[in-house]
């Protein structure tokens, strides 16, 4: 295992979909430090997208971050799943200082081409 670096600031990416919640913590240059998902925690099926699963993910992330001595996070949230707010709240309750929260959910500009008119 590689030597743990001491990092004071980082970025948290939370991808909350209807089917799963994935959380990745990187340093400021984008190198991944730790990650976790509801599936890797042992949740199966529709339980993966619950707020409880997101809370468990965040608690595991906080435990994995102890050797890095990380204190401050910028949070980037993507997706429309149910685990968005509970994941952020759990990171904050774990002793991490959240500097900013940004929603990076992709929004379609014009959408797909409409269907051709129906011929009867």
């Amino acid at each position: 295992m590689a030597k743990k670096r001491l990092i004071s600031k980082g970025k948290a990416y939370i991808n909350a979909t209807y089917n799963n919640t994935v959380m990745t913590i990187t340093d400021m240059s984008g190198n991944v430090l730790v990650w976790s998902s509801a599936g890797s925690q042992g949740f199966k099926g529709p339980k993966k997208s619950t707020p409880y699963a997101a809370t468990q993910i965040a608690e595991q992330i906080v435990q994995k971050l102890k050797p890095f001595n990380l204190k401050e996070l910028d949070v980037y949230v993507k997706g429309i799943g149910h685990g968005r707010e509970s994941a952020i709240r759990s990171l904050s309750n774990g002793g991490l200082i959240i500097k900013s929260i940004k929603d990076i959910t992709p929004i379609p500009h014009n959408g797909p081409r409409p269907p051709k008119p129906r011929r009867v």
Side-chain angles (χ1 to χ4, degrees), residues 13-18 20-23 48-55 58 75-91 98 101-106:
Y13 293 93
I14 301 169
N15 188 1
T17 65
Y18 282 132
N20 202 354
T21 304
V22 181
M23 192 179 304
K48 289 196 294 187
S49 60
T50 60
Y52 177 71
T55 303
V75 179
Y76 298 92
V77 184
K78 181 189 275 190
I80 50 177
H82 301 293
R84 293 166 51 110
E85 290 85 12
S86 60
I88 297 169
R89 196 169 291 122
S90 297
L91 285 175
I98 295 179
I101 300 171
K102 188 172 182 184
D103 190 357
I104 56 171
T105 304

Side-chain angles (χ1 to χ4, degrees), residues 4-5 7 9-11 24-28 30-35 61 64-65 68 70 73:
K4 302 279 186 189
R5 304 181 308 274
I7 299 162
K9 283 190 72 171
K11 296 180 181 179
T24 307
I25 309 292
T26 67
D27 58 9
M28 291 310 283
N31 301 316
V32 174
L33 303 174
V34 296
W35 69 273
I61 290 277
K64 285 183 179 180
L65 280 176
F68 291 102
L70 191 73
L73 281 179

